[in-house]
Amino acid sequence: MRLLPADLPERGALALEVHARPSEPLAAPGRGSYVAVLVDADERDRELAHLARLCRQHGQPAPAADAVHWSGAIGALRVKWERHGEFSSYTLLMPAKAGEPFADTAAERLPPGWLSAVPGLTVYAGHAELLSPDDGHAVGDLLRASFGTSTVVGSAVGDGAGLAYSDFLTHPDGFGRFVLIDQGFTPLVAGRMLQRLFEIEAYRMMALLAFPVARRLSPRLLAIERSLAALADSIAAGSAREPSHDEELLQELTRLAAEIESGLAASQFRFGACRAYAALVRTRIGELRERRLTGLQTLDEFMGRRFTPAVATCATVSQRMHDLSERVAQASHLLSTRVDIVREQQNLALLASMDRRAKLQLRLQQTVEGLSVAAIVYYMAGVVGYIAKGGRSLGLRLDVDLVVGMAVPVLGLLALRAVRRARHRASEQDAH
């Protein structure tokens, strides 16, 4: 008997998500290589097909069509592929024998040409040597053999269970280098520590993709800020200017707003990704649990001096763009309000002028109505006179002049009433 309600459709996948993409174990001495490749969305299928061909060549099951990670054995190599949001990573691990560091890397054990044919663009590539203190390497000689005369950054990691070193440079073969000395790691912890070191560099490079964008935008933002300052001065001094000048200022503000919004649309994804990747870098460094080694910068200090300022620059440029957008919007609103006020004043003046014209038309109409009444009375009086003359011709004793004179006031009243009724009906029709 089931004790629970029906499962959420995604319950199983969500529960397993925290167990996904486990680190591969590696015992000392061992070697690893890591490649992070920026892959476009339309190349994802080709990427899977390329990996599937490698699996088939070595008798391994190919990843599923919707897979986002895969691991398996390719000869002596343990290969792990992971698909991230924007890039894919390939981790290659193998046991090794004591010898010259970085002389025989894990990446070289792949079939010739397979790695260079991976779809996408390389973001980061690195080699790592996992050594045991019993290998007989003096640390100084090991660092000189691995990094030459470069400045080395290093620390005790895993609360002292190992030592990690790197120069964070790209060497002639296109790979960076890490040296990890095992002082008490288990194979699983060693593999996890190596994965963290690789991911620090991969995420650092992905975060810094926003840095060229910030550099490109900075001069244009400075020009926009100066233009906006000049426009603000013009707006402040514009009370005595012609209204047409405000229209020109509003058009220029609209142009600046469109330019800023275009820059925001083109850059905000990259700046948002920079913040996310930088947070992952800080998380991975924290997971190393570093301790200082005498005379060396820790990885945290190195990133704090070199990486953090670049991320801060990207954040500053992003914030400047948002601030500029708000300032342009405020200036546009202020100028639009002033233009609206000017237009309202013009409309009021126009309405007042129309009111004066209406009054003049009314007076003219009243004058015309008076003339109309006089004309009507005149013609009607003539008609009455003709009627009186006709009656006198019939033998009636009528004084024509007297009849016409007495009819004039009556005709005037009747004409005036008729004109007023006609005007009243016209007003009622206009009201409806």
Side-chain angles (χ1 to χ4, degrees), residues 411-428:
L411 292 174
L413 291 173
L414 292 174
L416 182 62
R417 183 177 180 183
V419 169
R420 286 184 176 178
R421 286 188 65 183
R423 186 173 63 187
H424 182 68
R425 289 178 180 176
S427 298
E428 287 181 347

Side-chain angles (χ1 to χ4, degrees), residues 160-397:
L163 304 176
Y165 301 93
S166 179
D167 58 359
F168 291 100
L169 294 175
T170 301
H171 289 259
D173 61 353
F175 288 77
R177 291 181 177 180
F178 284 103
V179 172
L180 186 61
I181 299 177
D182 182 359
Q183 292 185 325
F185 289 137
T186 64
L188 185 58
V189 172
R192 187 182 302 129
M193 198 63 65
L194 204 60
Q195 188 74 19
R196 288 168 181 163
L197 293 171
F198 284 142
E199 288 179 349
I200 285 171
E201 279 293 82
Y203 291 139
R204 177 175 72 93
M205 292 297 293
M206 291 299 297
L208 290 180
L209 289 178
F211 193 54
V213 178
R215 280 182 165 176
R216 260 193 327 268
L217 287 174
S218 291
R220 187 55 196 150
L221 291 181
L222 181 60
I224 292 175
E225 286 172 342
R226 290 174 177 172
S227 298
L228 182 58
L231 287 173
D233 291 340
S234 297
I235 293 172
S239 58
R241 295 183 183 272
E242 297 180 359
S244 60
H245 184 72
D246 287 344
E247 299 283 353
E248 294 175 1
L249 291 179
L250 192 57
Q251 291 179 1
E252 181 63 17
L253 282 171
T254 302
R255 186 190 66 79
L256 288 181
E259 187 172 355
I260 293 171
E261 292 304 318
S262 174
L264 282 170
S267 64
Q268 287 311 292
F269 170 77
R270 192 74 269 155
F271 288 143
C274 175
R275 290 191 294 271
Y277 287 125
L280 287 172
V281 170
R282 289 189 290 269
T283 299
R284 294 296 184 269
I285 290 176
E287 291 171 348
L288 293 177
R289 303 190 306 279
E290 289 187 282
R291 293 180 183 175
R292 178 180 298 279
L293 297 176
T294 303
L296 295 179
Q297 288 187 82
T298 64
L299 276 68
D300 190 19
E301 288 175 337
F302 177 83
M303 292 295 174
R305 294 188 61 186
R306 309 290 178 89
F307 171 67
T308 303
V311 173
T313 298
C314 297
T316 299
V317 171
S318 177
Q319 188 60 45
R320 281 175 66 190
M321 294 187 72
H322 284 289
D323 292 344
L324 272 175
S325 179
E326 292 179 2
R327 287 167 57 192
V328 169
Q330 290 174 354
S332 298
H333 179 70
L334 177 63
L335 189 57
S336 297
T337 301
R338 195 169 77 185
V339 169
D340 290 342
I341 291 174
V342 171
R343 286 175 179 171
E344 288 178 2
Q345 292 174 344
Q346 292 174 343
N347 291 337
L348 287 174
L350 180 61
L351 289 173
S353 175
M354 292 175 63
D355 185 56
R356 288 194 298 271
R357 290 180 182 178
K359 289 180 179 179
L360 290 174
Q361 289 178 352
L362 179 60
R363 291 175 184 174
L364 180 61
Q365 181 180 355
Q366 291 173 345
T367 303
V368 171
E369 287 177 357
L371 294 174
S372 299
V373 169
I376 292 171
V377 170
Y378 175 78
Y379 286 112
M380 292 299 294
V383 172
V384 171
Y386 283 121
I387 294 173
K389 288 178 181 180
R392 190 174 59 181
S393 298
L394 292 173
L396 297 176
R397 300 180 63 183

